[in-house]
Amino acid sequence: MRASAIIVAAGSGTRLKLETAKAFVPLGGRPLLHYSLRAIAAVAAIGEAVVTVPLGMEVQARAEVARAGLEIPVKLIAGGAERQDSVRIALGLSSAESEIVVVHDAARPFAAPALFAACLDAAQRADGAIAAIALADTLKRTDGRTITATIARAGLWQAQTPQAFRRKMLVEAHDRALRERWAATDDAELIERCGGRVEVVASSATNLKITTPADLEIAEALVMRLFAR
Ligand code: CTP
Ligand code: MG
């Protein structure tokens, strides 16, 4: 199998409330983007990568790619207005020879190479496969203050990235999303809406997404344990 990796790193990180774009915020002394680059470098099936970066960050991103020591070609491109636009732009640069494309958020620095490999493997059996964790907390719907319903958590999963799909299907799904103005928060949703079968690959809570300052604090505490150097 030959696969392309897309790392979306073009967001500004509004909720993190720092000056620096999120993918370039330091974690354990390295920019967030470094960790995703290192992870994909260790996945044998991945033959190339496309990384979306904020406008004007191309030089810094290129330096990070060089530091990560990847042996595969890495294309850098300015991202779009929304995450979905960034994925579509990156897809357009990915090799048409790749059977599978795996999309990953630079905001998840702790996704292990084995998780990428498991998603790639599972995507070959279905139309796609995503890292996810079975919900542990009880869910409440509220009107903003008062609980109006309790939602049974059986069968509910929290979607993460990496998310791997047959490239042809993902290209078609993004084309259709553009034409029909679908807005989705992940790529699996687009494939689902096109009728594709997407499997979950059981992941772990350590594959956390850095969104808020509190997430960054948790990640700082974890990074030394996970990557003891
Ligand atoms: N992303 C992107 N292009 C965008 C928006 C987001 O490539 N136009 C990427 C981010 O860099 C991130 C991933 O998509 O790795 C998930 O997005 P999110 O966590 O929402 O990051 P930001 O959009 O940067 O953060 P915020 O929503 O707080 O501004
Ligand atoms: Mg965002």
Side-chain angles (χ1 to χ4, degrees):
M1 181 209 345
R2 211 188 106 90
S4 299
I6 289 175
I7 299 178
V8 281
S12 53
T14 325
R15 289 167 288 178
L16 205 51
K17 297 186 171 73
L18 297 172
E19 296 283 290
T20 316
K22 186 155 72 182
F24 297 88
V25 164
L27 170 69
R30 311 271 192 155
L32 220 49
L33 176 60
H34 169 82
Y35 298 90
S36 299
L37 291 170
R38 287 304 300 265
I40 62 162
V43 184
I46 295 176
E48 65 156 14
V50 184
V51 182
T52 68
V53 297
L55 205 62
M57 294 299 278
E58 287 86 351
V59 171
Q60 261 159 287
R62 181 53 67 193
E64 262 335 295
V65 168
R67 260 193 290 271
L70 280 85
E71 282 167 8
I72 54 171
V74 180
K75 295 173 188 161
L76 300 179
I77 180 88
E82 302 294 335
R83 180 189 185 279
Q84 187 175 319
D85 303 310
S86 291
V87 175
R88 188 184 62 251
I89 290 166
L91 257 182
L93 277 190
S94 68
S95 167
E97 277 163 36
S98 286
E99 186 192 347
I100 307 277
V101 170
V102 59
V103 183
H104 184 60
D105 291 340
R108 291 190 189 271
F110 302 138
L115 184 61
F116 279 86
C119 290
L120 289 167
D121 278 351
Q124 284 195 300
R125 296 189 299 266
D127 298 318
I130 70 165
I133 49 175
L135 209 77
D137 297 336
T138 298
L139 285 184
K140 303 292 186 190
R141 174 164 287 131
T142 75
D143 61 10
R145 186 182 182 105
T146 304
I147 294 169
T148 56
T150 295
I151 297 151
R153 70 166 174 244
L156 292 184
W157 292 67
Q158 288 176 265
Q160 301 179 336
T161 69
Q163 300 196 345
F165 308 96
R166 298 190 173 280
R167 182 181 182 278
K168 201 165 167 288
M169 290 197 70
L170 191 60
V171 169
E172 281 169 13
H174 272 274
D175 285 349
R176 190 163 167 201
L178 190 64
R179 279 198 313 272
E180 302 185 19
R181 295 172 196 266
W182 295 347
T185 49
D186 73 352
D187 297 281
E189 186 181 344
L190 299 179
I191 299 286
E192 293 157 43
R193 288 182 75 163
C194 289
R197 190 169 72 81
V198 183
E199 291 186 0
V200 290
V201 170
S203 173
S204 120
T206 54
N207 182 23
L208 63 93
K209 177 162 170 285
I210 294 173
T211 305
T212 63
D215 298 329
L216 193 57
E217 267 183 63
I218 296 167
E220 278 294 356
L222 262 179
V223 71
M224 291 305 166
R225 294 179 62 101
L226 293 175
F227 300 95
R229 282 192 293 263

